[in-house]
Amino acid sequence: MHYLSTRGDTRGLSFVDSLLTGLAPDGGLLIPEQIPAVGDEIDSLRGLDFVAFAKRVLPLFADDIETSTLHTLIDNAYGTFASPDVIEIRELCDVAVVELFHGPTLAFKDVALQLLGQLFAHVLAQRGERLNILGATSGDTGSAAIAGVRGQDNVDIFILYPNHRVSRLQELQMTTVPDSNVHCVAVEGSFDDCQNLMKETFGDLAFKQQYQLGAVNSVNWARIMAQVIYYGWVSLRGVTPVSFCVPTGNFGNVFAGYFAKWMGFPIDSLIVATNDNDILARFFNDGTYARGSVHHTLTPAMDIQIASNFERYLYFLLNKDTDKLKALMQEFAATGSTQLAQISYGDDFLATAVDRDATLEAIRSVHAQSGYVLDPHTAVGVAAARRLAGSVAGPLYCMATAHPAKFPEAVAAALPEVSATHPALDALVGMSERKQVIPADIKAVKAVITKGLARA
Ligand SMILES: *Cc1c(COP(=O)(O)O)cnc(C)c1O
């Protein structure tokens, strides 16, 4: 299996190379040259547990890692989950939710980042290399990435987050991790500042090379690959085809569902559920892809205007015409909008935007009907699923992307009488913390990295 960039100038990478590369040097996102098909094997994949299923499908993508080694890495990654099944499905009143949040940080990002941590450890040890991860987070990605690589010898991780602007619980999930390879960096600025500082640091190619910087955000193909697994697995549970509703921010999770469909898993439609940051809902409804300003909502993990993984979808939408895609991304970067109305995207996706009231109402009504407490992100999905259920085929599964205890304020806004808690989060309160506070300045970021690495 070889990987190429959506912008066409980077080609022929092995899986391991693509794992370490993150964003392609030409600015595009890496994608497999061919979609591995599972058609003939589908029947033999039915009825497997999640881990056994992952062991059958992941080798199709990671074919330059020895299969028995890959199996061990998969066991290690999913052995950290609190549920022996890794992923649990609950049939509630009128909806079925797929609980993806039983990993160490209680968000779906653990499913991919636990595996990524294992892959990094193996590949770096084998090559005798080091990697220094630089990431920016508005909350969930930072803690899940830290949980994936904490304590590893060949990796240091630097996470930038906006000081005082992530929730206290999310901050504690990062700053209480005692391992010396973890560096939490609170930036005096916004999340956008953090992301820009990260991009600027990666953009200094000499610095990037000298300090072996790598990325863990969902531009890394391995994250999408790991997410493809649960779509395939759920799709083979029973009646087929199935449809999914996915609370969407960076388009990484729902894109994995689209990819699973093209591999041949029996998936009908994917519902893209957004909050008030509705750029994707507008695109799927009228073909305009236009950036707005970021709204702060009850669902901060989805407060995103530019969904980086959307480029991977556009690549397929444009029939893999990398020149056309490059021109389109340039137009979008220059003007903040582009028109794609003339392109037919078939019926793979449906989309709708869910506002604050509808989110709270979904939390309330599911609780009233079944006693189950939704996290606000999942609630956005449930509200969208109820709106569009009549337009999709088969059983409709809502992806539950976080445990409600991660977002107690939103839960309290809907259900004042309920307090959402989780022992893993309660245990963080009062633990000692480590963080550095820096100004929103690239020199300060580089100094944190050089000093942090000098410790060894
Ligand atoms: C990251 C995240 C999302 C958005 O997922 P994307 O892959 O960025 O679309 C949704 N819900 C929660 C809880 C998340 O942490």
Side-chain angles (χ1 to χ4, degrees):
M1 171 73 65
H2 285 117
Y3 292 80
L4 86 164
S5 162
T6 48
R7 303 202 187 168
D9 298 334
T10 305
R11 288 175 187 269
L13 270 60
S14 69
F15 169 75
V16 169
D17 288 333
S18 78
L19 173 74
L20 298 177
T21 299
L23 193 69
D26 65 2
L29 279 74
L30 294 168
I31 196 111
E33 267 173 24
Q34 255 117 38
I35 297 184
V38 291
D40 297 341
E41 283 185 70
I42 282 252
D43 285 330
S44 72
L45 292 169
R46 264 179 232 278
L48 298 178
D49 64 41
F50 178 80
V51 169
F53 182 88
K55 288 177 178 174
R56 289 281 303 281
V57 179
L58 287 172
L60 301 175
F61 294 100
D63 58 357
D64 54 341
I65 295 178
E66 206 199 322
T67 306
S68 61
T69 305
L70 191 56
H71 286 182
T72 306
L73 301 180
I74 292 168
D75 282 328
N76 293 346
Y78 298 119
T80 65
F81 278 57
S83 161
D85 299 329
V86 184
I87 281 157
E88 297 188 16
I89 298 173
R90 302 211 181 277
E91 315 271 353
L92 307 174
C93 35
D94 57 327
V95 291
V97 299
V98 181
E99 294 181 345
L100 301 171
F101 54 69
H102 295 292
T105 71
L106 310 180
F108 89 96
K109 292 182 171 76
D110 288 324
V111 180
L113 284 164
Q114 283 295 309
L115 184 68
L116 218 66
Q118 292 294 320
L119 288 165
F120 280 142
H122 165 70
V123 165
L124 295 170
Q126 201 180 38
R127 292 193 173 187
E129 290 178 12
R130 294 191 46 83
L131 188 70
N132 297 308
I133 292 166
L134 177 62
T137 188
S138 60
D140 287 343
T141 306
S143 56
I146 288 170
V149 300
R150 57 181 289 186
Q152 288 189 13
D153 291 335
N154 297 328
V155 177
D156 273 76
I157 181 165
F158 297 85
I159 295 291
L160 311 177
Y161 66 93
N163 200 20
H164 304 306
R165 295 195 206 171
V166 299
S167 84
R168 185 64 186 135
L169 280 176
Q170 286 176 322
E171 181 172 41
L172 285 171
Q173 282 188 303
M174 298 189 278
T175 56
T176 58
V177 175
D179 304 82
S180 61
N181 70 328
V182 172
H183 311 267
C184 300
V185 186
V187 174
E188 285 168 334
S190 65
F191 171 62
D192 284 336
D193 292 329
C194 295
Q195 204 153 19
N196 289 336
L197 287 166
M198 177 186 79
K199 285 188 190 150
E200 228 181 299
T201 311
F202 280 127
D204 180 343
L205 293 179
F207 187 85
K208 180 180 178 207
Q209 203 161 18
Q210 185 182 355
Y211 290 98
Q212 295 139 306
L213 296 187
V216 281
N217 50 6
S218 56
V219 302
N220 195 311
W221 167 258
R223 282 191 57 184
I224 306 297
M225 168 189 86
Q227 293 169 185
V228 165
I229 303 305
Y230 50 72
Y231 285 94
W233 182 69
V234 173
S235 78
L236 297 181
R237 265 185 96 231
V239 179
T240 58
V242 303
S243 292
F244 290 98
C245 183
V246 189
T248 295
N250 242 329
F251 204 73
N253 198 5
V254 75
F255 177 78
Y258 173 79
F259 201 88
K261 176 174 179 171
W262 285 104
M263 287 175 73
F265 289 109
I267 295 168
D268 181 61
S269 301
L270 296 151
I271 297 175
V272 176
T274 75
N275 61 23
D276 288 328
N277 296 287
D278 62 352
I279 174 171
L280 292 169
R282 281 182 283 129
F283 169 76
F284 284 111
N285 289 305
D286 68 18
T288 310
Y289 189 57
R291 185 163 55 204
S293 54
V294 176
H295 300 274
H296 294 281
T297 70
L298 292 173
T299 45
M302 297 157 64
D303 289 345
I304 289 172
Q305 281 289 329
I306 308 302
S308 51
N309 272 284
F310 196 61
E311 179 164 344
R312 286 196 166 105
Y313 170 58
L314 289 177
Y315 168 80
F316 287 106
L317 202 57
L318 297 172
N319 285 320
K320 309 187 180 180
D321 184 336
T322 51
D323 290 335
K324 217 185 221 174
L325 181 59
K326 214 185 301 178
L328 208 117
M329 295 314 293
Q330 274 161 6
E331 184 195 346
F332 183 72
T335 65
S337 92
T338 177
Q339 258 294 331
L340 287 157
Q342 70 283 14
I343 294 169
S344 156
Y345 50 84
D347 48 12
D348 297 323
F349 290 102
L350 298 168
T352 187
V354 174
D355 65 14
R356 179 187 169 95
D357 287 347
T359 306
L360 294 174
E361 174 50 30
I363 296 177
R364 273 186 215 112
S365 71
V366 167
H367 184 255
Q369 291 166 49
S370 66
Y372 187 90
V373 182
L374 297 171
D375 113 275
H377 303 79
T378 309
V380 165
V382 167
R386 286 177 164 169
R387 240 179 244 170
L388 295 172
S391 311
V392 304
L396 174 55
Y397 291 97
C398 293
M399 292 310 200
T401 51
H403 189 284
K406 284 198 91 164
F407 301 96
E409 297 83 7
V411 171
L415 302 168
E417 73 284 11
V418 171
S419 73
T421 60
H422 189 284
L425 296 176
D426 296 343
L428 299 176
V429 179
M431 278 177 72
S432 66
E433 290 184 75
R434 289 183 309 133
K435 72 172 187 181
Q436 311 172 57
V437 182
I438 63 164
D441 178 272
I442 178 131
K443 285 200 232 58
V445 174
K446 287 180 175 171
V448 162
I449 294 172
T450 45
K451 278 196 208 118
L453 296 177
R455 97 194 126 75

